[in-house]
Amino acid sequence: MFTKTFLLGTALLAAACQATIPAASSTAQPAASPTPASAEPAGGGSEKLYAHRWALTEAAGQPVAPTGDARAAHLLFFLPGRLSGSTGCNRLNGTFELTGGDQLKFSPLATTRMMCPEPAAAAETRFVQALGTVKTYYVTDAALELRDGTVVVARFRATPASPEK
């Protein structure tokens, strides 16, 4: 009995090993993967957004004095559509969408809620409100302008990009 069971099991195992698995249908789509940081983003000149840390120099028509520290107001853009930075007092993060050649839309941005002394509190308010009105952008190697369509609502200068600490 043991020999018959052993031979039957061996025959079934051999038959299973010779079975082929049908090839996947040629209409199957590969799984979507996140865009690697090295991929060229869509939009005119948008690759320059990702190359720099953008230090705020003007918000709502008012100059912003550089503080020279890590908390200085700035933005960092990341693929796929994330941003982080500082308001000059609080940290911010959120998402954005680029459409067309110069269209830019920010999601509602999240910020920490530390109390800011004046004049930093007023500058922070102008900066965050300006970001809420952005519809278009213009970027060069050294400068970034965010616009509400036609009026510049925030200006930045390029500084070397570095990971946030």
Side-chain angles (χ1 to χ4, degrees):
M1 180 74 164
F2 174 75
T3 305
K4 288 182 183 178
T5 305
F6 177 75
L7 290 175
L8 181 58
T10 303
L12 289 173
L13 181 61
C17 288
Q18 292 178 358
T20 58
I21 299 172
S25 166
S26 62
T27 60
Q29 299 295 318
S33 61
T35 305
S38 62
E40 186 141 329
S46 63
E47 65 278 358
K48 294 174 185 171
L49 284 175
Y50 306 99
H52 303 287
R53 177 181 188 267
W54 296 101
L56 182 67
T57 59
E58 181 183 306
Q62 301 280 326
V64 175
T67 63
D69 64 16
R71 290 176 65 180
H74 69 276
L75 293 177
L76 287 164
F77 293 85
F78 302 96
L79 288 172
R82 292 183 313 109
L83 94 142
S84 67
S86 173
T87 64
C89 183
N90 286 289
R91 297 186 48 85
L92 66 86
N93 64 58
T95 60
F96 66 93
E97 182 179 354
L98 296 175
T99 57
D102 67 347
Q103 305 295 303
L104 173 62
K105 180 181 178 182
F106 292 110
S107 68
L109 302 173
T111 63
T112 56
R113 306 293 275 166
M114 296 188 306
M115 180 178 258
C116 301
E118 290 299 337
E124 176 183 64
T125 299
R126 284 193 311 273
F127 182 31
V128 172
Q129 287 176 344
L131 291 176
T133 66
V134 171
K135 293 186 177 128
T136 62
Y137 74 100
Y138 176 76
V139 64
T140 68
D141 287 329
L144 170 64
E145 292 181 348
L146 302 180
R147 302 172 179 172
D148 68 0
T150 56
V151 176
V152 175
V153 296
R155 293 182 200 274
F156 301 81
R157 68 178 165 72
T159 61
S162 63
E164 294 236 314
K165 300 193 181 230

